[in-house]
Amino acid sequence: MILAIANQKGGVGKTTTVVNLAAALAARRKTVLVVDLDPQANATSGLGVEPKEGVSLYGALMRIADVNDFIVGTAVDRVNLIPSEVNLAGVEIELARMDDHLGGVRKVLKPVVDSKVFDYILVDCPPSLGILMSNALAAADAVLVPMQCEYYAMEGLSVILKLVERMRATGANPGLRVEGIAMTMYSRTRLADEVVAQVRDHYGDAVYKTVVPRSVRAGEAPSYGIPLVAYAPSTPVAQAYFILANEFLARQKALAAADGKVDSIAPKSGAIA
């Protein structure tokens, strides 16, 4: 399964969710490949890998190297990585010139998917609405949207969900579904509670029950090159990601039991503006 973790708004806990969900799934003995599509390479360094020029998906997308050449180990057992580096930013121009400009990531990841080596492939998307994010959504089976517990973040949520619907409607990826909405960076304030309540009211069961709290420790872990769930597993944030991983796996089990038939997510009472 390819899971794109995406939000075009930066600073919502996207990369933190990628690396910690990957590590939490690995702790449940799942094999995970993280694909860092963000030229900032935060997921790369957060998993203990130093970004290096030429070591990213760029070569595979430009058809000058095999995708398997870029898969490396990380500081976490059962988690592998296709790193990112700053030159990946230039791939958007190159992809735009191709006939199938949305199919690049899907094509290069197909051999990895077909090998069935990994239970899950998590794609860390860049915080933008460019071609790289669109490629990730075109390749993915589902998208998980991390959302910061603030009102401005609700605008971003509406935009990304509309983009998912557009990918389905245009045929770029008719099977794309929204895996869920993960509320992140929660603080015990009335504002945060109101945001969570409003999102749940609009999107119901699409919103994970787990709410990831805000924590200074979450910002410390990347400097050590390991996810928080490995750096400080007993902290509230780490425990939240372990629970989120359990929720995610439970949803996959329920989806399999339903033969993959799910409805697209739509607001219950109008879109959040």
Side-chain angles (χ1 to χ4, degrees), residues 97-118:
R97 297 171 178 169
M98 296 182 178
D99 292 336
D100 184 14
H101 64 279
L102 293 181
V105 171
R106 178 174 60 243
K107 288 179 180 177
V108 299
L109 289 182
K110 187 177 186 302
V112 181
V113 174
D114 291 346
S115 72
K116 299 182 179 180
V117 171
F118 301 101

Side-chain angles (χ1 to χ4, degrees), residues 68-98:
N68 291 294
D69 294 341
F70 303 110
I71 298 177
V72 301
T74 72
V76 182
D77 288 344
R78 291 185 291 276
V79 176
N80 285 71
L81 170 73
I82 295 179
S84 182
E85 39 98 16
V86 68
N87 288 339
L88 188 62
V91 82
E92 298 220 351
I93 298 173
E94 301 294 338
L95 287 173
R97 297 171 178 169
M98 296 182 178

